[in-house]
């Protein structure tokens, strides 16, 4: 019977052949498990949480921080020992790993291997969040667009249902904007829309969100709000419009409608209330215009 002799039968004990096995702290099954677990994460927060869980079990990680073009994300606590590791081929991205204990040489090697293993997926996650950000942005004004609005509204609704926190919806529609296009051209109309977006943005807190809904309609989502907050923001926007040179030059005004989330209501109901208030405001402005 034909026998197959090994090409080199000393491979098991020769240090040259054992070198890669000695150096490797992660077995193939573990590598595969880590990769498969992280491949399902396309969102940065999800990726960071999953990585944190994997490293807490394996190395007793107590927290991590990801700095990337998609933003800075910190989870857990900062420990007594920190390792800052860059991501290959991406100078703008780094991960800080926090531990509450010293790491020995094997732990350090294990961390190196896991870091090297996970960074390609981190690059995908960052690209994905950039594409998502661009897809939810209005190209003219750089505010969020309608898709972005829907996403944020869903998030606020879920949060409000869980926590009971009240948020506010503000809808804005510029008055007689069409006349700008008709009299001064589309380009001037675009500049007015950009100026309006600036007036809105400067009137909001960092935690509020502004969107261009389409045409000359804008929307704001204001977390942790009450009716006094919404009144203050409306007043600030009108003031900012008054102070914005291009808007002031064209005597631009806008109508505003607001609504506060009421426990248990659906998004359609909140939107209808804000829209009805907007319509009322527009009617009032037009009546004032007629009597003025
Ligand atoms: N320049 C410019 N105009 C746009 C854009 N999108 C929509 N529009 C124009 O915005 C105008 C909106 O017109 P209307 O809805 O009648 O708004 P309005 O003139 O402010 O009327 P009222 O709200 O009743 O005061 C239309 O003429 C659209 O063509 C855009 O991106 N750029």
């Amino acid at each position: 019977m034909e026998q197959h002799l090994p090409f080199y039968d000393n491979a098991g004990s020769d240090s040259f052949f054992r070198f890669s096995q000695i150096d490797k702290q992660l077995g193939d099954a573990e590598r595969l498990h880590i990769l498969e677990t992280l491949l399902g994460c396309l969102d940065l927060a999800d990726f960071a949480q999953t990585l944190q869980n994997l490293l807490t079990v394996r190395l007793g990680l107590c927290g991590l921080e990801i700095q990337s073009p998609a933003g800075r994300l910190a989870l857990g606590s900062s420990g007594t020992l920190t390792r800052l590791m860059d991501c290959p081929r991406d100078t703008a991205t780094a991960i800080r790993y926090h531990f509450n204990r010293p790491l020995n040489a094997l732990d350090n090697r294990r961390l190196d291997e896991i870091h090297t293993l996970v960074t390609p997926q981190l690059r995908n996650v960052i690209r994905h969040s950039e594409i998502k950000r661009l897809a939810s942005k209005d190209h003219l004004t750089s505010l969020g667009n309608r898709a972005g609005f829907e996403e944020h509204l869903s998030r606020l609704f879920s949060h409000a249902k869980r926590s009971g926190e009240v948020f506010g919806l503000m809808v804005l529609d510029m008055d007689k904007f069409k006349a700008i296009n008709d009299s001064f051209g589309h380009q001037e109309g675009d500049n007015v829309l950009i100026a309006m977006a600036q007036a809105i943005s400067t009137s909001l807190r960092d935690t509020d969100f502004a969107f261009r809904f389409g045409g000359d309609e804008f929307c704001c989502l204001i977390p942790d709000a009450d009716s006094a907050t919404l009144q203050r923001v409306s007043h600030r926007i009108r003031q900012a419009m008054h102070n914005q040179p291009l808007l002031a030059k064209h005597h631009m005004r806008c109508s505003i409608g607001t609504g506060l989330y009421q426990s248990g209501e659906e998004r359609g109901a909140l939107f209808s209330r804000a829209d009805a208030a907007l319509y009322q405001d527009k009617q009032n402005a037009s009546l004032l215009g007629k009597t003025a």
Side-chain angles (χ1 to χ4, degrees):
M1 201 171 100
E2 194 186 357
Q3 272 196 331
H4 292 282
L5 290 172
F7 164 68
Y8 180 65
D9 63 2
N10 206 22
S13 54
D14 192 310
S15 65
F16 175 80
F17 286 93
R18 278 186 14 237
F19 179 76
S20 62
Q21 287 158 24
I22 292 169
D23 218 26
K24 262 195 204 161
Q25 289 302 305
L26 298 177
D28 288 345
E30 196 175 7
R31 282 171 171 269
L32 197 61
H33 171 72
I34 292 173
L35 277 180
E36 278 181 351
T37 310
L38 283 169
L39 273 176
C41 308
L42 276 180
D43 174 69
L44 187 61
D46 198 14
F47 175 92
Q49 186 62 63
T50 309
L51 182 59
Q52 151 123 328
N53 295 347
L54 287 167
L55 285 168
T56 302
V57 174
R58 282 164 181 78
L59 290 169
L61 181 93
C62 66
L64 63 77
E65 222 177 297
I66 299 178
Q67 180 69 52
S68 79
R72 180 186 162 275
L73 207 150
L75 290 179
S77 56
S78 45
T80 48
L81 178 114
T82 296
R83 269 198 72 187
L84 172 65
M85 297 171 79
D86 293 334
C87 291
R89 295 195 283 130
D90 184 355
T91 49
T93 301
I95 308 181
R96 246 192 197 93
Y97 298 97
H98 299 293
F99 299 89
N100 267 328
R101 66 176 184 94
L103 296 184
N104 62 30
L106 290 184
D107 289 336
N108 269 310
R109 246 193 278 159
R110 220 167 147 74
L111 180 60
D112 286 340
E113 282 180 36
I114 294 177
H115 180 81
T116 308
L117 194 63
V118 304
T119 45
Q121 179 60 8
L122 177 57
R123 274 201 301 277
N124 286 339
V125 168
I126 292 165
R127 266 189 224 124
H128 181 257
S129 71
E130 180 60 9
I131 290 166
K132 231 172 108 180
R133 194 183 64 78
L134 289 175
S136 59
K137 196 169 132 171
D138 173 53
H139 293 299
L140 180 67
T141 61
S142 294
L143 297 183
N145 63 14
R146 189 164 185 149
F149 170 79
E150 296 295 339
E151 195 186 319
H152 272 88
L153 187 63
S154 298
R155 220 176 289 158
L156 280 180
F157 257 103
S158 312
H159 181 67
K161 279 180 182 161
R162 263 184 283 119
S163 69
E165 185 183 296
V166 173
F167 67 92
L169 167 69
M170 180 177 283
V171 287
L172 304 97
D173 188 297
M174 298 186 83
D175 297 337
K176 303 193 171 30
F177 171 72
K178 187 173 175 302
I180 301 294
N181 274 343
D182 294 347
S183 310
F184 301 93
H186 208 263
Q187 184 58 53
E188 185 73 349
D190 280 0
N191 292 338
V192 165
L193 291 172
I194 294 168
M196 180 65 188
Q198 282 165 358
I200 295 173
S201 298
T202 55
S203 308
L204 299 179
R205 297 172 299 189
D206 286 350
T207 46
D208 304 333
F209 307 98
F211 308 86
R212 179 167 169 233
F213 219 61
D216 61 347
E217 291 171 33
F218 296 83
C219 244
C220 302
L221 287 171
I222 302 170
D224 195 14
D226 56 22
S227 48
T229 315
L230 296 183
Q231 266 180 19
R232 262 200 311 276
V233 177
S234 305
H235 178 72
R236 275 207 302 265
I237 291 175
R238 290 203 158 107
Q239 198 60 45
M241 286 179 73
H242 183 71
N243 295 335
Q244 212 293 330
L246 187 64
L247 299 180
K249 177 182 145 198
H250 290 299
H251 307 289
M252 292 311 296
R253 299 218 311 231
C254 77
S255 301
I256 302 180
T258 61
L260 280 173
Y261 167 77
Q262 289 171 3
S263 175
E265 83 177 337
E266 291 308 318
R267 51 204 289 160
L270 172 60
F271 214 93
S272 296
R273 278 191 292 116
D275 234 12
L278 171 75
Y279 180 74
Q280 191 58 55
D281 198 35
K282 194 149 286 248
Q283 292 286 93
N284 293 344
S286 120
L287 283 176
L288 277 176
K290 272 181 197 151
T291 52

